[in-house]
Amino acid sequence: MIKKLFCLFIVLSLIFPSVFTKSYASEKPYLKSDSAILMDARTGQILYEKQMDKVKYPASITKIATIALSFKYGNPDDKIVISKDDYISDLSATHIALIEGEQVTLRDMQYAALLMSANDACNAIARHIAGSQDAFIEKMNEFAKSAGAVSTNFTNPHGLPDENHYTTAHDMALITREAIKNPDFLKIMGTVTYEMPANNKKPSRPFANQDAMLKSFDPNYYKDAVGGKLGWTEESRHTKVTVATRNNRTLIAVVMDSIDPKAKYEDTRKLFDYGFDEFREYTISPQNVKSKQIDVTDGPNVIGTLNMYLSIPAKIALHRSVSSKDIEYKFPDITFIDKSQQDNCPIEMEIYLPDYAEEFMNNSPMKIKLDTSYTPLLSTVTEKPKKEQIQWLALQIGEISLISLGVTAAIIVTFLFFVFIRNFTILCRKKKHQKQLAAKRKKQMETMRIIERQTSPYKMRTTSTTMVPPRTQPKSQVHTKTPPYPKNHNRPSTQNKANMASKQNQKNISQNRNHRIS
């Protein structure tokens, strides 16, 4: 019997493993690429990383920063006249064969750079935006630093090999996150085909996106992908940046230093499947986060209090193995701040995940920006000019008065509401009682009418001849009664007729007696 039960357990555990063991559909994906990252585009949260801060050559994914800057400083309808400075010295590099004097638009160059990875188009954009490539490169590095890419250095707008031209997977994800905030950029990044119109030098030219994950007829197609950019040089090997959206969640996947074209597609697919399937969106409610107060100082004096709090719900991504109860929230470890830094100091709350979460996701603390409000100390009022004192006191009194009026109005409205409900209830009960009394009286009146009809003499006279007389009279004395004639009627009644007949008979009898005697 024990053997049978053991065999049954083994069979069921093979069929339904999740019933008997706590297992997950997939752990961290194994990637062939040397460096990779998966980032939530909305929050910047890192869901997966593999040597994400290792410095690598970016190749043509550099063009993401170039096109992002072209939207920031240029207009897509701008006209550009191609010069010899825009040519590419290395003819083996990708280009669209721009020639001197050719008139194009900035929009055409943006499509050429992202879809065809045209290096000459990038040179034309750089010269148009900044006047020269060197000036444009300065803007590129400033843009990278502002996006948080601290391990990046650009030396050209296209990504051709240069030992001083480098970045990291983490930095490229941050740059892409900043770039896709512009919907026009993401539109071009996700375009499959585009036709550049004819110009003064050349006929129209068709462009096709090189990213196979965007093409529905390709085996590497990924239905949730909305944009992508490829890169390759012998020094960098294969690089790829892809953006995908599912269920209102947008993820950015970056793979660098992939061994072959197939590996970069496989790794990107694994990252997106992991991010969309294994993670859920969790909302942090402001009620669950306590506020914190720190002092605001002016030299040695404390002049007020800075309140730090979460005003609106914040969303983060959690692996399905991580419980939201284990999340810890930590405010900045500061006790005071100078008034000169009050407006420019970013106040961020750090979110720490439990230690066991490191097995399935990046465990570095996440940061959420907090809202702040300043409350001056009452003692500082005397230090202000008299006019400011009066204004401040007036505002304070006005706020207190408005609050008092609001509370008083709320109390009065509540009281009147309850009084109305009470009076309405009493009125309803009164009407109901009156209806009951009226119905009772009506019933009594009907009962009295019935009794009066049954006991009335006129009723006795108008009854039929078969009506049973009162019990005081014997049955033999029951007489039928004929209704009397009207007063004005000349016809004698039946009783009068009988009396007259009786008198006539007595008269006849007396006449006969007299006749016999005579």
Side-chain angles (χ1 to χ4, degrees):
M1 182 66 181
I2 296 176
K3 290 182 178 181
K4 292 181 178 180
L5 291 175
F6 179 75
C7 293
L8 179 62
F9 176 82
I10 295 297
V11 172
L12 291 176
S13 64
L14 291 174
I15 300 174
F16 306 105
S18 60
V19 177
F20 301 95
T21 61
K22 184 180 178 180
S23 61
Y24 301 102
S26 63
E27 299 178 354
K28 278 189 173 182
Y30 170 76
L31 305 183
K32 296 179 182 179
S33 302
D34 190 60
S35 178
I37 187 175
L38 180 66
M39 177 182 286
D40 188 297
R42 179 171 53 198
T43 63
Q45 181 185 349
I46 301 169
L47 308 184
Y48 174 94
E49 65 91 10
K50 178 184 178 182
Q51 300 190 108
M52 65 178 183
D53 293 321
K54 189 175 181 179
V55 174
K56 296 286 184 181
Y57 295 123
S60 286
I61 59 176
T62 301
K63 295 178 175 68
I64 293 175
T66 299
I67 304 307
L69 279 174
S70 71
F71 277 108
K72 184 176 181 180
Y73 295 105
N75 188 316
D77 294 324
D78 290 347
K79 300 295 183 181
I80 301 175
V81 179
I82 303 301
S83 71
K84 289 183 178 180
D85 296 335
D86 302 332
Y87 290 176
I88 298 296
S89 57
D90 185 3
L91 296 180
S92 63
T94 55
H95 59 86
I96 57 171
L98 294 173
I99 60 176
E100 185 179 2
E102 186 175 350
Q103 297 178 2
V104 296
T105 63
L106 178 59
R107 181 183 292 105
D108 294 335
M109 297 300 96
Q110 290 170 337
Y111 275 98
L114 282 181
L115 272 62
M116 299 297 291
S117 198
N119 296 305
D120 50 355
C122 293
N123 287 341
I125 291 173
R127 184 178 53 81
H128 173 73
I129 296 297
S132 67
Q133 286 197 24
D134 292 338
F136 186 78
I137 290 167
E138 290 182 8
K139 290 183 179 294
M140 289 180 68
N141 289 316
E142 291 174 1
F143 173 73
K145 297 299 185 293
S146 65
V150 296
S151 301
T152 296
N153 185 69
F154 294 127
T155 60
N156 59 63
H158 38 66
L160 289 177
D162 187 309
E163 61 180 6
N164 293 321
H165 188 95
Y166 53 82
T167 187
T168 65
H170 188 192
D171 284 2
M172 282 308 306
L174 292 172
I175 292 172
T176 304
R177 181 189 176 207
E178 189 67 25
I180 64 175
K181 290 180 180 179
N182 188 331
D184 293 331
F185 175 93
L186 189 57
K187 177 184 177 182
I188 296 178
M189 195 181 191
T191 299
V192 178
T193 60
Y194 174 79
E195 185 172 355
M196 177 178 170
N199 54 43
N200 61 325
K201 295 287 185 179
K202 288 192 175 184
S204 61
R205 279 166 278 190
F207 299 155
N209 201 315
Q210 298 177 346
D211 193 343
M213 297 190 83
L214 302 174
K215 303 174 182 179
S216 59
F217 55 84
D218 195 282
N220 293 309
Y221 173 70
Y222 194 80
K223 65 177 182 179
D224 297 317
V226 294
K229 184 71 189 78
L230 307 179
W232 180 87
T233 63
E234 291 183 0
E235 293 78 6
S236 67
R237 299 203 290 182
H238 292 278
T239 61
K240 188 179 191 315
V241 176
T242 316
V243 181
T245 301
R246 183 192 298 177
N247 297 331
N248 294 323
R249 292 177 58 203
T250 301
L251 303 181
I252 301 171
V254 180
V255 293
M256 301 186 71
D257 199 358
S258 296
I259 57 176
D260 56 52
K262 185 177 180 181
K264 65 184 176 185
Y265 287 119
E266 291 177 351
D267 290 350
T268 301
R269 181 181 296 275
K270 288 178 183 178
L271 288 175
F272 283 139
D273 288 343
Y274 180 68
F276 287 127
D277 296 339
E278 298 300 315
F279 285 81
R280 72 187 190 279
E281 199 171 57
Y282 174 71
T283 302
I284 301 174
S285 174
Q287 287 76 14
N288 297 335
V289 180
K290 296 181 180 179
S291 60
K292 181 181 178 180
Q293 292 78 35
I294 61 174
D295 294 333
V296 179
T297 59
D298 184 7
N301 301 321
V302 177
I303 62 172
T305 303
L306 187 67
N307 304 303
M308 300 182 294
Y309 58 93
L310 183 67
S311 61
I312 58 176
K315 294 184 178 182
I316 61 173
L318 287 181
H319 190 273
R320 62 189 182 93
S321 66
V322 181
S323 173
S324 59
K325 297 179 181 179
D326 298 332
I327 300 176
E328 295 182 5
Y329 309 105
K330 184 178 179 181
F331 283 92
D333 191 15
I334 54 178
T335 57
F336 67 91
I337 187 173
D338 189 81
K339 69 172 186 178
S340 61
Q341 301 175 346
Q342 178 182 340
D343 297 330
N344 299 324
C345 182
I347 304 298
E348 295 179 326
M349 176 182 68
E350 293 183 339
I351 302 173
Y352 288 87
L353 300 177
D355 293 336
Y356 66 82
E358 189 174 1
E359 181 181 356
F360 303 102
M361 58 188 296
N362 182 268
N363 208 16
S364 58
M366 295 168 282
K367 295 182 179 180
I368 294 179
K369 188 176 180 181
L370 297 174
D371 294 294
T372 59
S373 62
Y374 174 70
T375 304
L377 295 179
L378 293 177
S379 59
T380 62
V381 175
T382 57
E383 300 175 4
K384 297 179 179 181
K386 189 173 182 180
K387 184 178 180 180
E388 294 183 8
Q389 291 182 30
I390 296 173
Q391 291 177 350
W392 185 83
L393 287 174
L395 289 173
Q396 297 297 320
I397 294 172
E399 290 178 359
I400 295 172
S401 301
L402 288 175
I403 294 173
S404 301
L405 288 174
V407 173
T408 304
I411 293 173
I412 293 174
V413 170
T414 304
F415 175 77
L416 293 176
F417 175 78
F418 282 109
V419 169
F420 172 79
I421 294 296
R422 179 177 175 273
N423 293 338
F424 181 78
T425 305
I426 293 173
L427 182 62
C428 291
R429 290 178 179 175
K430 187 175 180 181
K431 287 185 177 181
K432 183 177 180 182
H433 183 64
Q434 290 176 352
K435 288 182 180 180
Q436 290 176 351
L437 288 177
K440 187 174 180 180
R441 289 174 183 171
K442 184 177 180 181
K443 187 174 182 181
Q444 290 177 353
M445 293 296 294
E446 291 177 356
T447 304
M448 292 176 63
R449 288 193 189 97
I450 293 172
I451 294 173
E452 287 176 359
R453 289 174 183 173
Q454 291 178 354
T455 58
S456 174
Y458 180 80
K459 179 71 176 179
M460 295 297 294
R461 288 195 301 270
T462 58
T463 54
S464 62
T465 55
T466 59
M467 189 178 86
V468 179
R471 293 183 180 180
T472 55
Q473 297 179 0
K475 295 181 180 180
S476 60
Q477 296 181 1
V478 175
H479 299 283
T480 59
K481 293 183 179 181
T482 305
Y485 287 95
K487 292 181 180 181
N488 297 331
H489 202 281
N490 295 325
R491 185 178 177 180
S493 64
T494 306
Q495 187 176 359
N496 293 335
K497 288 181 178 182
N499 293 334
M500 293 175 64
S502 176
K503 289 180 181 181
Q504 185 68 31
N505 291 337
Q506 290 178 4
K507 184 178 180 180
N508 294 334
I509 292 171
S510 62
Q511 289 178 357
N512 292 333
R513 285 179 181 177
N514 292 333
H515 180 71
R516 283 195 300 266
I517 293 174
S518 59

